[in-house]
Amino acid sequence: MGQLFGTDGIRGVANTELTPELVVGLGRAVVRTLREEGTERPVVLVGRDPRASGEMLEAALVAGVTSAGGDVVGVGVMPTPGVAYLTAETTSADAGAMISASHNPVEDNGIKFFGPHGGKLTDTEEQRIEELLQRFADDRPVGAHIGRFRRDNELLVRYVEHLASAADGSFSDLHVVVDCANGAASHVAPFVLRRLGAQVDVLNARPDGTNINAGCGSTQPDVISEAVVATGANVGLSYDGDADRLIAADHTGAIVDGDVILAILAADQRERRGLDTVVTTVMTNLGFTRGMNALGIDVIQTAVGDRYVRDAMLAGGHPLGGEQSGHIILTDYATTGDGVLTAIRLLSVLTRSQRSLCELATVMERLPQVLRNVGNVDRERLRDAAAVWRAVDAETESLGGNGRVLVRASGTEQLVRVMVEAETEQRAADVADRLAKVVSAELSLD
């Protein structure tokens, strides 16, 4: 068995790669890990997004946890950050699990585990789960020692109350369009925003188990861009399937991605509370760093993955961090990226400043960025691919200080990602295409 955990939990095609049998084993391994840490009868909070396979995998996870002597509290369909928040806030919960493949297509699914404080598991904890998964377990509780399962729908209410409390005031002057990706935000996001006073037009909020992320959501921002212009709204808000990401659009239809959202929130916190450092990843646009430095804000970069961002934030006591993809972490309010919470904080800046999103977005000037995903390659060979790294060094030198190159193996897909920034989009595209050809030639599976 190869490594199961990627940069964002375990993910694969449901029922072929991510099978019920595997998930039963994972449930047992999680309980055994918690028992090793001193918890006699662990309680695991379990949520899911609305994709059809989630029902099957939830049943398997419940079976695994309860067969190992752990109890399960099911919260049903809920955003990933809701499960993380409730795991930390529910005193009886020892761990949380979210069944979701985030922005991936409906045939995929995944599981993200959270520790008792609402953060994603460490590499060491994940490795221990994988070790226990491969060991035969003869500790089979019987009778009253078998775990129990119960649903608690009131926990969703607690999460909604938490979100509403994060607003600085009423949004009654705002007209927003929300794209829920037919995912976990479908009921939560429109309800909370309307409760806060906003006029809300809703798109893609009728999940049927098969339409999650289908031509909508944060990976298709043109949907929200066009809708904002068509409705005359102030802001567009677009989520992914499990609602831990947010991509926005201003009133002109211009896309506002995670880098810009993070920059706006950082500038606001700099002005109001003296923020001096923000944490992001190596994928962040060079324009973000330049914009933050102009405000006197230091930028710490981590590997790609919101848990690495969170680790750096906690280590340095920094309250704000995030990713270009729209994962924004605000540790004053949440333990992980939360798209609905991020929207509430972003709209709070708009109402407090009385400025448009278009105006606020000028806090940074983006360098053209081109991303090429190179498929049909062995991503595991990238580390030792000398020819690839020679090409990267040569292209980086040619860009000087006016751009940068990043080549990395995807943590969730069998791809190598080539990202290039330059002063013009054509220059970035030319460099990216040349490097993609080298990667393909050197790492091809053919």
Side-chain angles (χ1 to χ4, degrees), residues 216-294:
C216 57
S218 63
T219 58
Q220 301 287 331
D222 56 304
V223 173
I224 200 72
S225 173
E226 293 171 4
V228 168
V229 175
T231 61
N234 302 106
V235 180
L237 306 169
S238 190
Y239 303 103
D240 62 337
D242 69 337
D244 59 358
R245 295 183 181 192
L246 171 71
I247 298 296
D250 68 23
H251 71 281
T252 71
I255 302 301
V256 179
D257 70 6
D259 283 350
V260 183
I261 294 170
L262 187 62
I264 291 169
L265 296 178
D268 178 65
Q269 289 198 24
R270 175 66 171 176
E271 180 180 346
R272 293 190 302 116
R273 56 187 289 185
L275 180 80
D276 58 10
T277 303
V278 65
V279 181
T280 186
T281 77
V282 292
M283 287 296 291
T284 294
N285 192 275
L286 182 59
F288 174 88
T289 302
R290 291 176 175 177
M292 292 299 95
N293 290 343

Side-chain angles (χ1 to χ4, degrees), residues 335-372:
T335 60
T336 188
D338 187 327
V340 182
L341 172 66
T342 300
I344 290 170
R345 294 307 305 156
L346 180 64
L347 296 180
S348 291
V349 177
L350 264 69
T351 56
R352 191 186 328 106
S353 68
Q354 294 295 297
R355 299 175 67 194
S356 70
L357 183 56
C358 182
E359 292 176 286
L360 292 171
T362 60
V363 68
M364 64 168 278
E365 184 177 351
R366 169 180 302 284
L367 265 72
Q369 185 181 83
V370 172
L371 178 65
R372 298 285 186 259

